Amino acid sequence: MDLNLTPDEQSFRDELRAWLKENVPEEYDGQRGGEDSDGYWQYLRDWQKKLFDGGWAGVSWPTEFGGRGATPIQQSIFLQETIAAGAPEHLGVIGEGLVGPTIIVAGTEEQKAKYLPRILSGEDVWCQGFSEPNAGSDVAALGTKAVLDGDEWVVNGQKIWTSFAQGSDLCFLLVRTDFDVPKHKGITALLVDMKSQGITRKPLRQMSGDSGFNELFFSDMRVPVANQLGPLNQGWKICITALMNERTNLGSSMFTFFDQAVDGLIEHARTRKRNGKLLSECPLKRQKIGQAVADLEVYRLNIARALSRMEKDSTPGPEGSMLKIYWSEMYQRLSQASMEILGDVSQLKDFDGGEWVYRYLRSKGSTIEGGTSEIQRCILAERVLGLPKSY
Amino acid sequence: MDYDLSKPQKMLQQSVREFCQRQCPLEKVREIMETDTAQDPELWQGIADQGWIGLHLSEDLGGLGLALVDLAVVAEELGRACLPGPFLSTTWAATLISKSGHEAAAKKYLADLCEGSKIATVACFEEESGWAAEEYSTIKANESGDGVLLSGSKQLVGDAAVADIMIVAARGDKGLTLALIETSADGVSIKATPGIDATRKLYEVKFENVPGTVLAIGDDAKRALTESQQVGNVAVCAELVGSMQWMLETTVEYARTRKQFDQIIGSFQAVQHKCADMLLATESSRSAALYAAWALSESTDDADRAVSIAKLFCADSAQKVGGNAVQVHGGIGFTWEHDLHMFYKRNKANEFLFGDSTFHREHVALIAIDAA
């Protein structure tokens, strides 16, 4: 056991830090959502292009596909350092973390050549069309239907909770191509141009007020057969790999986000007063702060341990479910404790630009998205502990 | 970065596990815990012969010169077996003697402790103070010749009745004074104060003009005591992890075989989710406990914080894991006949040892808020 960074990991970090110091742009000063969102999307695309030109796009991808061949630990260093340096949010989360790796595994040579470079350069932004109104946790029950007509699939149906759909160019879409076989065996993956005829997008407003998600409606949308990813009816197998990746990625990138929140909280506790006393003088608030710091630190250690294991076993296992449960539930505890510590004024939208309110509300989605806490617990019970399947 | 145990550490883990299965299965734990002292000389000698007592001490002091991660590996397995007896007491005392820098005492006692021919403990806790070194006051150390005379009383002293020597945290003219006494000395009276955990006996010890050798005074004493408690906590956290691991495995096994409504209860999600929570708590605790051991071994800047975080996290997790274990077992889990209660009780005692979660949360807050 040796938790020091290896010389390779250290030089990776130092090189990245130096690059980030020169290249991270000023914070975006315009409106991020609503009618003016185009400017923000361009800002994010510009950042992705900068990463690409600097050789920092797709760090975990194999070098033959334009990546840097980074180890899981290096990838985690990348995610943490970019957030710590105040870099813009990562536009390529879905393209780079989910779609690209899946195309690398399952795509044709033409697909690889066509899509992979444009993911890294930020020219193509991807969204992911998995969930449907009646296929949430049971996503394999999806009913969006594709029927073959000549050399085109004709797609009808609806997707929901599609993140990034408002500004994306392409969609990694799962459709039902066979209704007469068990549900996992009749799904096919399609790579869909978002400018196709027959797609309607509608933003979904969340309780936090922003619209990170969308609904997509398909009415006789035509998709060339050449855009089918992997063999017919093998879409589920393909997307399981993708979902495993999603969980692991989410884990590391969230750490710095929480770390900054805890730092902000402690700064307030040191300086703000209540009933004539500093917040940090109240023993109960101190207990909550101590707990938040401990929770976060154990999260950091859990990530480090999972990454260390991945370096040896290469593929992410169901342990990813552990990280997902841990961070999403910690996010809720942390947001709740923050408002308790800060007190009444923390509910005001002008207090720190509403960030505490935002975290309090947004964290409610985290135990649902990417597999609910309940589903994750079932995965652990069955695949790690060997208990019988319950659904 | 490698979070995994090394090959030699995995071998050590395996040999401790096999030793415990062979020499101290749970039927034996029950026998030993029913005795007055919970000390089985043959078992103790067996542990000593393996070199596991004081294994983290340097070789010239009688140890194996291993790291604290190795101590954690051993302690986790001992916790998994709910091994009774004075391992923690002796480990703590030996660490304290070594940390106090008193060469004569180290020379005189440590080899005997490591070889198993002597047992040691530390008398620290007092009713009106906690675990913070500066708080001890009841015991007065009065200078006499080249030593001190101790008077007063201490509580929650582990394994005092079987200890040959005892290190007492006392208050002298120059502040905190660590004094080493022989328990056979005149003026020492030891009274059993049975606690929740019968596998490790606790005592009240009274001192009346007991002669002691001074190991360290003032800041040196405080540093040595604090550092020895940190090492103690590394062992306690590892024990808690081992105990949680046993509870997890035992509970999952039960959930896989027990039937109600003609179904394996492990197929019910209410049961599955409790088991998944046990897994998450156990593994997260293991991450924290291993890191604390490593950080303390390497003297990293955050070692002190890492130990406190590990302690509060492991202690709180052990409560959740233990609660779920009993609940999933149902009625049988509440009986004396089932082995669960031995672990459940040990965890509670370990929760208090070297500071409970409230104590360590405050310490973490102190570092985060005031020390930055």
Side-chain angles (χ1 to χ4, degrees):
Chain A
M1 184 175 169
D2 181 3
L3 299 180
N4 291 310
L5 293 183
T6 63
D8 273 359
E9 288 158 1
Q10 223 157 355
S11 64
F12 178 90
R13 189 192 60 189
D14 294 344
E15 193 188 338
L16 173 62
R17 270 190 190 168
W19 186 85
L20 287 170
K21 213 172 160 209
E22 295 299 314
N23 289 283
V24 168
E26 294 284 305
E27 207 174 317
Y28 187 68
D29 55 4
Q31 216 182 325
R32 294 179 182 213
E35 290 168 14
D36 299 329
S37 64
D38 287 355
Y40 184 57
W41 277 91
Q42 194 51 51
Y43 169 79
L44 295 182
R45 278 177 198 256
D46 291 346
W47 169 238
Q48 180 66 28
K49 183 74 169 45
K50 222 171 180 179
L51 282 170
F52 178 69
D53 292 339
W56 291 104
V59 284
S60 66
W61 288 21
T63 42
E64 59 173 309
F65 299 111
R68 214 178 171 97
T71 65
I73 289 170
Q74 287 171 334
Q75 186 192 4
S76 157
I77 292 171
F78 174 81
L79 293 167
Q80 293 187 18
E81 291 291 330
T82 43
I83 299 174
E89 64 179 302
H90 198 195
L91 189 60
V93 171
I94 291 179
E96 201 176 303
L98 206 71
V99 183
T102 312
I103 292 177
I104 289 173
V105 173
T108 62
E109 291 311 312
E110 289 75 23
Q111 287 169 342
K112 286 176 193 168
K114 181 173 174 191
Y115 297 114
L116 295 180
R118 295 176 61 87
I119 289 177
L120 295 189
S121 67
E123 286 162 280
D124 285 347
V125 176
W126 286 76
C127 63
Q128 160 203 324
F130 289 6
S131 300
E132 296 181 5
N134 289 319
S137 289
D138 185 11
V139 70
L142 58 90
T144 292
K145 183 180 176 182
V147 178
L148 203 55
D149 179 23
D151 57 1
E152 287 180 325
W153 286 106
V154 181
V155 179
N156 283 284
Q158 181 193 352
K159 294 287 172 182
I160 194 169
W161 302 119
T162 315
S163 36
F164 297 104
Q166 65 273 38
S168 56
D169 308 289
L170 291 141
C171 180
F172 182 32
L173 187 69
L174 291 182
V175 293
R176 183 153 304 282
T177 39
D178 192 339
F179 282 82
D180 302 323
V181 291
K183 60 187 174 185
H184 296 91
K185 296 181 174 168
I187 296 170
T188 301
L190 300 178
L191 307 172
V192 174
D193 187 339
M194 289 294 281
K195 289 188 287 292
S196 307
Q197 292 278 318
I199 301 187
T200 317
R201 313 176 199 199
K202 201 177 134 202
L204 260 181
R205 199 157 182 226
Q206 299 149 223
M207 66 156 81
S208 51
D210 52 353
S211 302
F213 299 99
N214 292 259
E215 285 180 286
L216 294 179
F217 299 89
F218 309 103
S219 165
D220 288 333
M221 174 182 74
R222 303 185 84 83
V223 181
V225 169
N227 289 14
Q228 178 184 315
L229 179 64
L232 182 66
N233 294 328
Q234 296 288 310
W236 182 252
K237 248 190 185 164
I238 290 169
C239 96
I240 277 288
T241 320
L243 287 175
M244 291 274 197
N245 272 314
E246 183 187 21
R247 278 171 207 138
T248 335
N249 286 339
L250 272 174
S252 324
S253 58
M254 297 300 282
F255 174 78
T256 317
F257 174 69
F258 298 134
D259 193 39
Q260 288 167 346
V262 171
D263 282 350
L265 182 64
I266 291 169
E267 194 46 43
H268 277 306
R270 278 201 201 109
T271 49
R272 294 190 72 86
K273 285 190 173 176
R274 184 91 203 271
N275 299 327
K277 274 188 169 176
L278 289 172
L279 299 181
S280 64
E281 289 176 63
C282 167
L284 287 177
K285 293 186 195 292
R286 292 176 71 86
Q287 285 285 308
K288 287 178 200 287
I289 289 171
Q291 186 64 50
V293 170
D295 265 3
L296 181 64
E297 173 66 359
V298 175
Y299 172 53
R300 181 181 77 84
L301 299 174
N302 275 343
I303 295 172
R305 209 162 137 235
L307 289 168
S308 175
R309 197 166 40 225
M310 271 176 75
E311 298 254 320
K312 293 179 180 171
D313 302 344
S314 72
T315 46
E319 297 89 350
S321 292
M322 265 194 262
L323 284 176
K324 170 68 193 351
I325 297 171
Y326 193 105
W327 76 254
S328 57
E329 296 186 353
M330 176 185 73
Y331 188 10
Q332 290 177 1
R333 287 196 301 276
L334 174 62
S335 313
Q336 173 76 29
S338 298
M339 290 188 75
E340 286 170 8
I341 291 163
L342 296 170
D344 311 38
V345 290
S346 66
Q347 70 182 299
L348 298 175
K349 292 205 164 168
D350 278 347
F351 185 86
D352 280 352
E355 68 171 288
W356 304 99
V357 171
Y358 175 81
R359 289 194 188 99
Y360 178 70
L361 297 172
R362 182 62 186 80
S363 63
K364 293 307 291 173
S366 297
T367 49
I368 300 166
E369 64 200 318
T372 62
S373 292
E374 288 71 24
I375 285 290
Q376 306 291 1
R377 283 185 168 84
C378 288
I379 291 173
L380 292 178
E382 287 156 21
R383 295 191 207 159
V384 180
L385 299 176
L387 293 171
K389 201 162 174 54
S390 64
Y391 55 93
Chain B
M1 189 185 84
D2 188 0
Y3 220 119
D4 205 5
L5 296 180
S6 67
K7 262 206 180 121
Q9 284 163 346
K10 282 181 182 164
M11 282 165 63
L12 177 65
Q13 180 181 53
Q14 193 58 32
S15 69
V16 183
R17 188 173 300 177
E18 283 167 10
F19 174 91
C20 291
Q21 282 164 356
R22 214 171 42 237
Q23 305 292 330
C24 195
L26 287 166
E27 310 85 74
K28 178 95 184 228
V29 176
R30 279 175 184 271
E31 276 174 35
I32 297 174
M33 80 180 187
E34 298 292 353
T35 64
D36 286 344
T37 59
Q39 155 67 344
D40 180 290
E42 199 186 328
L43 178 65
W44 187 248
Q45 196 54 55
I47 295 169
D49 290 347
Q50 299 288 332
W52 299 331
I53 302 169
L55 87 170
H56 60 300
L57 302 181
S58 65
E59 286 173 271
D60 56 316
L61 294 178
L64 296 179
L66 295 177
L68 291 177
V69 175
D70 302 276
L71 172 63
V73 166
V74 172
E76 180 178 335
E77 290 307 315
L78 299 184
R80 194 169 185 259
C82 201
L83 190 110
F87 183 81
L88 260 187
S89 301
T90 302
T91 299
W92 181 18
T95 307
L96 184 50
I97 292 173
S98 136
K99 295 268 183 197
S100 73
H102 193 288
E103 286 181 20
K107 225 176 199 155
K108 188 170 175 193
Y109 295 109
L110 288 180
D112 285 350
L113 295 180
C114 294
E115 283 165 15
S117 56
K118 278 202 161 63
I119 290 172
T121 189
V122 182
C124 206
F125 191 90
E126 294 167 14
E127 186 165 13
E128 291 192 0
S129 37
W131 288 95
E134 58 270 21
E135 293 175 4
Y136 306 117
S137 58
T138 328
I139 288 250
K140 290 280 191 289
N142 297 313
E143 287 187 43
S144 96
D146 56 351
V148 284
L149 288 175
L150 302 173
S151 289
S153 78
K154 290 279 184 182
Q155 286 185 314
L156 307 176
V157 183
D159 308 295
V162 296
D164 303 286
I165 57 172
M166 183 181 292
I167 298 148
V168 185
R171 175 110 350 231
D173 295 338
K174 292 170 196 143
L176 183 68
T177 302
L178 295 177
L180 188 150
I181 64 153
E182 306 257 349
T183 52
S184 57
D186 285 345
V188 179
S189 59
I190 296 171
K191 188 181 113 192
T193 50
I196 189 171
D197 174 20
T199 65
R200 221 175 245 162
K201 308 295 186 188
L202 298 174
Y203 302 85
E204 183 183 83
V205 184
K206 289 198 165 126
F207 307 85
E208 218 182 303
N209 289 321
V210 178
T213 309
V214 175
L215 296 183
I217 292 180
D219 286 346
D220 290 341
K222 193 186 160 188
R223 181 195 45 76
L225 186 60
T226 305
E227 288 179 7
S228 74
Q229 289 182 353
Q230 288 173 333
V231 172
N233 256 332
V234 163
V236 166
C237 289
E239 265 203 8
L240 285 164
V241 171
S243 172
M244 283 186 256
Q245 184 67 35
W246 183 89
M247 287 175 154
L248 171 66
E249 287 171 14
T250 307
T251 303
V252 168
E253 188 49 37
Y254 186 75
R256 263 204 292 246
T257 45
R258 166 80 171 168
K259 279 189 175 177
Q260 287 289 276
F261 307 101
D262 292 327
Q263 290 178 70
I264 303 282
I265 62 165
S267 67
F268 301 131
Q269 291 188 352
V271 171
Q272 289 193 341
H273 291 188
K274 281 201 155 56
C275 293
D277 284 336
M278 291 171 75
L279 172 70
L280 182 58
T282 304
E283 287 300 335
S284 301
S285 298
R286 184 172 278 123
S287 303
L290 280 173
Y291 181 71
W294 181 81
L296 200 58
S297 255
E298 300 278 310
S299 306
T300 62
D301 292 343
D302 66 343
D304 178 36
R305 188 181 86 130
V307 171
S308 280
I309 287 175
K311 181 63 201 293
L312 78 90
F313 199 91
C314 291
D316 289 350
S317 295
Q319 284 211 25
K320 284 182 225 155
V321 170
N324 282 4
V326 174
Q327 186 67 21
V328 170
H329 275 83
I332 187 73
F334 186 64
T335 62
W336 190 268
E337 177 197 346
H338 199 283
D339 294 325
L340 252 176
H341 68 97
M342 298 192 284
F343 293 86
Y344 193 73
K345 293 167 179 171
R346 164 71 69 84
N347 291 354
K348 195 66 189 173
N350 272 342
E351 195 184 308
F352 291 119
L353 189 55
F354 306 124
D356 62 11
S357 297
T358 308
F359 176 90
H360 286 287
R361 262 194 298 273
E362 166 55 31
H363 191 61
V364 172
L366 181 82
I367 295 169
I369 298 168
D370 305 328

